[in-house]
Structure formats: structure tokens, C-alpha cells
């Protein structure tokens, strides 16, 4: 083409060459644009899939977390229910033990009271001495008087006097008068009257608001119970 002496042919050839070059450049540009579009589509699709995968993972994590929280909450409820049941069982067992203990105490008290009542007067007096010594009481003296036996004693650093009623009779007001000087002293002593057959209504009324304690077999049985 360039060896052709005809200038018009040379110019035409060059024009065709330039046109062909520009055409190829256009085709190449379009191809590049298409490739870029493809890559962008792939990138967009990958990004979309990654986002969807992330959302699926987040959803799965939330679901698993919710399920775990529900399971933990249920375990907590079950544990609390078990603790309440165990506590209730312990309370019932403690109540049964307390009832059994009280029943045993009541049975012992009844048996001890009946045992004391069945004793002779001398045996009762010996039992009284034994019980007050078990209480930590110190007997200081014993004196026989018409109404019975008069004891002086010391208990918890306090001195007192006790009248034992003999001959299986109840305590009358005249017996109470034996302790009146001690009860009405400027420094009143602790006073006991022990009578297995009980006390007259006058005695029960008179000892109110005084330092006199009336002791019968039931109270002595309580002393024996407290020493167990």
C-alpha cells in the first residue's frame, strides 16, 4: 500500500487503517467494559451471598442463643422446683422429728408422773432430794415439823425454803402459813411447797404475786425431763 505511487490510494489506505484501528479499539473497549461488568456482577453476587450468609449465621446464632437461654431458664426453674421440694421435705422431716420428740417427751412426762405418784411417801421424799440435787440445788438443812419436812436450800446463788407435805394429803392454807414469814421477809426467800395430793383453792389463790411456787408430781416430772 505504501509502495503504490498513487497518493490517493495511499491516503485511502491510511484512512482505512486508522478506521480499522479505531474499530478494534472500540471493540476492545467494549470487551473490557463487558468484562468489568461481569466482574462487578460477580462481585455484587458474591457480596450479596456473603451478606445473606452473614444474615443466616446471625439468625442461626440468635436462634441458638434464644434456645440456650430457654434451656437455661428451664434448668433454673427445675433447680428452683427441686430446691423447693427438698426444702419442703426437710421441713416435713423436721416437723415429724419435732412431733416425735414432743410425743416422746409427753410419754416420758406421763410415765414419770405416774411413777412418782405410785411411790410411797418415803420414796417420794428420796426422789425429791435426788431431783433437786440434779438441778444443781444445794440442800442446806432439813427440819421435821408437824406439817412435814422443812428444807433450806441454795440455788443459783439464791437461798430458799421448801415445805414437804407428808402423809399423802393436799396442802391447806395452814401449811402455807409456815412459809409466810420467809415470803414476807425484807429480803424474801424463794419458797416451795411440795404436795403430791394437790393444793386447796385457798392456797392457789393466796400464792399469787408471792415468791411461793407450788410443786406437784407433774412439775417434778418436768424436772426429771429437763435432766435428760
Amino acid at each position: 500500500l505504501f509502495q503504490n505511487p498513487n497518493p490517493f490510494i495511499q491516503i485511502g489506505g491510511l484512512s482505512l487503517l486508522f478506521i480499522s484501528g479505531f474499530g478494534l479499539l472500540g471493540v476492545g473497549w467494549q470487551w473490557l467494559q463487558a468484562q468489568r461488568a461481569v466482574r462487578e456482577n460477580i462481585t455484587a453476587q458474591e457480596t450479596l451471598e456473603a451478606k445473606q450468609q452473614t444474615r443466616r449465621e446471625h439468625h442461626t446464632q440468635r436462634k441458638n442463643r434464644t434456645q440456650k437461654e430457654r434451656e437455661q431458664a428451664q434448668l433454673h426453674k427445675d433447680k428452683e422446683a427441686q430446691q423447693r421440694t427438698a426444702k419442703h421435705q426437710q421441713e416435713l422431716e423436721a416437723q415429724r422429728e419435732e412431733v416425735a420428740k414432743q410425743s416422746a417427751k409427753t410419754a416420758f412426762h406421763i410415765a414419770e408422773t405416774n411413777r412418782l405418784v405410785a411411790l410411797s411417801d418415803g420414796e417420794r421424799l428420796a426422789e425429791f432430794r435426788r431431783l433437786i440435787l440434779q438441778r444443781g440445788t444445794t440442800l442446806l438443812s432439813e427440819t421435821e415439823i408437824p406439817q412435814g419436812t422443812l428444807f433450806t436450800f441454795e440455788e443459783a446463788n439464791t437461798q430458799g425454803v421448801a415445805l414437804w407435805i407428808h402423809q399423802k394429803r393436799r396442802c391447806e392454807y395452814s401449811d402455807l402459813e409456815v412459809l409466810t414469814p420467809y415470803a414476807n421477809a425484807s429480803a424474801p426467800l424463794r419458797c416451795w411447797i411440795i404436795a403430791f395430793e394437790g393444793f386447796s383453792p385457798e392456797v392457789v389463790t393466796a400464792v399469787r404475786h408471792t415468791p411461793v411456787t407450788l410443786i406437784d408430781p407433774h412439775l417434778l416430772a418436768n424436772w426429771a425431763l429437763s435432766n435428760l
Side-chain angles (χ1 to χ4, degrees), residues 72-89:
Q72 290 178 344
Q74 186 62 43
L75 288 174
H76 183 67
K77 289 181 180 179
D78 293 342
K79 184 177 180 180
E80 286 184 339
Q82 292 175 356
Q83 290 175 343
R84 287 194 298 270
T85 300
K87 183 178 179 181
H88 182 63
Q89 292 296 333

Side-chain angles (χ1 to χ4, degrees), residues 19-214:
I19 291 171
S20 297
F22 280 117
L24 290 173
L25 288 174
V27 171
W29 175 254
Q30 290 177 355
W31 182 82
L32 290 175
Q33 289 292 99
Q35 289 298 314
R36 188 173 67 179
V38 170
R39 287 195 298 272
E40 289 177 350
N41 288 336
I42 293 174
T43 301
Q45 183 65 28
E46 290 176 348
T47 301
L48 178 61
E49 290 179 354
K51 290 181 179 179
Q52 291 176 344
Q53 179 64 25
T54 300
R55 284 196 294 269
R56 286 193 295 269
E57 290 176 355
H58 288 171
H59 175 73
T60 301
Q61 290 174 357
R62 287 194 299 271
K63 183 179 179 181
N64 292 338
R65 185 166 56 251
T66 302
Q67 180 65 25
K68 186 176 181 179
E69 290 174 352
R70 290 176 179 173
E71 292 176 353
Q72 290 178 344
Q74 186 62 43
L75 288 174
H76 183 67
K77 289 181 180 179
D78 293 342
K79 184 177 180 180
E80 286 184 339
Q82 292 175 356
Q83 290 175 343
R84 287 194 298 270
T85 300
K87 183 178 179 181
H88 182 63
Q89 292 296 333
Q90 291 175 354
E91 291 175 349
L92 289 178
E93 184 63 26
Q95 290 175 0
R96 285 193 290 267
E97 290 179 358
E98 184 62 24
V99 169
K101 185 185 297 184
Q102 292 299 327
S103 297
K105 287 183 177 180
T106 301
F108 175 85
H109 185 271
I110 293 173
E112 183 66 8
T113 300
N114 293 335
R115 185 186 72 83
L116 292 172
V117 170
L119 298 177
S120 66
D121 193 58
E123 291 171 334
R124 290 176 178 179
L125 184 56
E127 193 68 15
F128 170 72
R129 291 191 184 97
R130 183 183 68 83
L131 289 174
I132 62 174
L133 290 176
Q134 286 183 350
R135 283 169 53 91
T137 303
T138 301
L139 289 176
L140 301 177
S141 66
E142 295 184 26
T143 304
E144 294 297 327
I145 61 176
Q147 291 82 1
T149 302
L150 189 66
F151 297 90
T152 59
F153 63 87
E154 183 175 351
E155 184 177 72
N157 297 322
T158 301
Q159 290 191 349
V161 60
L163 175 62
W164 175 274
I165 304 298
H166 287 307
Q167 301 174 355
K168 294 188 178 182
R169 63 179 181 83
R170 75 174 186 175
C171 176
E172 300 295 342
Y173 188 81
S174 58
D175 300 313
L176 178 61
E177 291 178 331
V178 174
L179 299 183
T180 300
Y182 303 98
N184 295 335
S186 57
L189 299 180
R190 180 177 299 177
C191 299
W192 296 344
I193 300 181
I194 306 93
F196 271 67
E197 301 304 320
F199 306 86
S200 69
E202 293 80 10
V203 172
V204 174
T205 301
V207 298
R208 294 174 182 173
H209 310 295
T210 71
V212 178
T213 300
L214 305 181

